[in-house]
Amino acid sequence: MKRLLPLLAVAALIAVPVAMAASSSSPPVLHPGKLVVAFGDPTPGFAVGKVRGTKITNPRGYEVDLAKAVAAQLHLTPVWIYATWTSLFAPGTKKFDVSFQEATATAQRRKTVDMTVGYATANQGVLLSKKAPVPHSLADLKKMQTCAQADTTSLDWLNSVLKPTKHPLTYPTTTAAYEAVHVGTCQAFVLDVALVSLEKKTRPTAYGPVAGQIITHESYGAVLQKNSKLTPIMNGVLKKLTKNRTIARLQKKWFNVNFAKIPVLK
């Protein structure tokens, strides 16, 4: 998955005509007139709502407002559903048109799904448990009991780059990982700096500090069915929303955190 910039690096995209097939014909969606949007586990600042089975009610957050803006551009009504993170990149037919789950776009993931141009940029962040020592370098972090969510670029970075002394603990959901940090089982949870910063802001007494960030230059992309005809249209819309600064305004509205102040671990 995940230092959020006020505007994406993708903001420097060369202006490309928006692929608005929707302006002349109905967009290729699962249900006429509707855009089925999937979110995952509640993520403060990005998407939080009440989950019941596969339904999400009253979602709110950056990705929710972004999905609404996309739907408006396509003249569609958004419909919200829940999709687990572990199933997001599995091959097969998707029950959604598009999913926003703070998913880092990688070549490996694009083998099984389509991913759009970026709608947020991020580095990895380190959230500490209350009694954990504060690492001032990657060498310090390497000695700690780290953890990560399964099937994330955070876990990949831990295993392939940091290679900590103790094997990283792995959890299927962010909720489980945050609880492990809260109770002290995990000293340092590595996840996108935006996500851990907003979680800390939401529950300030549950954790220690966000100790730092690791520069990885990752970018979130929305997920679609592999070879979806909707993908180029989504890319066009996201480029348009970047160019007209809708994305910048939504990030300022929902995040209001100066990620540049978080120290970089080297």
Side-chain angles (χ1 to χ4, degrees):
M1 271 163 63
K2 309 153 187 348
R3 171 180 88 179
L4 238 110
L5 305 177
L7 194 57
L8 314 179
V10 91
L13 288 165
I14 297 173
V16 178
V18 177
M20 290 299 289
S23 62
S24 57
S25 61
S26 178
V29 291
L30 292 173
H31 306 288
K34 298 179 180 180
L35 183 69
V36 180
V37 182
F39 301 118
D41 295 324
T43 306
F46 282 84
V48 175
K50 190 170 185 178
V51 179
R52 285 187 176 179
T54 60
K55 302 295 183 183
I56 296 181
T57 56
N58 300 320
R60 60 196 182 280
Y62 166 60
E63 289 175 324
V64 179
D65 281 1
L66 180 57
K68 289 177 180 178
V70 169
Q73 289 288 316
L74 298 176
H75 306 289
L76 298 171
T77 300
V79 175
W80 318 117
I81 70 169
Y82 173 79
T84 62
W85 174 261
T86 52
S87 69
L88 194 59
F89 305 106
T93 303
K94 303 302 180 186
K95 295 182 180 180
F96 54 78
D97 293 305
V98 61
S99 180
F100 292 90
Q101 289 202 41
E102 312 91 55
T104 300
T106 67
Q108 182 62 35
R109 289 172 176 173
R110 285 194 173 102
K111 291 180 180 180
T112 54
V113 296
D114 279 3
M115 297 197 73
T116 66
V117 294
Y119 63 86
T121 57
N123 293 315
Q124 296 295 324
V126 181
L127 176 65
L128 301 182
S129 62
K130 284 185 175 182
K131 295 182 179 181
V134 177
H136 298 290
S137 65
L138 293 180
D140 291 342
L141 181 62
K142 188 172 184 176
K143 301 172 186 176
M144 300 176 68
Q145 177 59 71
T146 59
C147 65
Q149 185 182 3
D151 301 319
T152 62
T153 55
S154 307
L155 182 59
D156 290 343
W157 180 84
L158 282 171
N159 287 328
S160 63
V161 180
L162 186 65
K163 299 179 181 178
T165 304
K166 299 177 183 178
H167 189 73
L169 302 174
T170 305
Y171 299 94
T173 65
T174 53
T175 302
Y178 283 132
E179 180 60 21
V181 179
H182 175 59
V183 301
T185 305
C186 170
Q187 291 182 304
F189 179 27
V190 178
L191 188 68
D192 309 357
V193 67
L195 304 187
V196 295
S197 297
L198 293 168
E199 174 69 17
K200 169 65 177 177
K201 183 180 179 181
T202 302
R203 301 174 62 199
T205 62
Y207 315 103
V210 175
Q213 59 183 311
I214 302 104
I215 306 300
T216 54
H217 303 294
E218 295 176 72
S219 179
Y220 296 158
V223 176
L224 298 92
Q225 177 76 45
K226 183 66 178 175
N227 299 321
S228 172
K229 293 181 180 179
L230 185 61
T231 303
I233 299 173
M234 282 290 303
N235 283 336
V237 172
L238 289 172
K239 290 174 184 178
K240 181 178 180 180
L241 295 177
T242 297
K243 186 178 180 181
N244 67 17
R245 296 192 60 78
T246 295
I247 282 178
R249 289 193 295 271
L250 293 179
Q251 289 184 357
K252 183 177 180 180
K253 171 186 175 181
W254 285 103
F255 301 147
N256 196 27
V257 173
N258 188 348
F259 300 103
K261 289 186 176 180
I262 300 173
V264 175
L265 297 180
K266 300 180 181 179

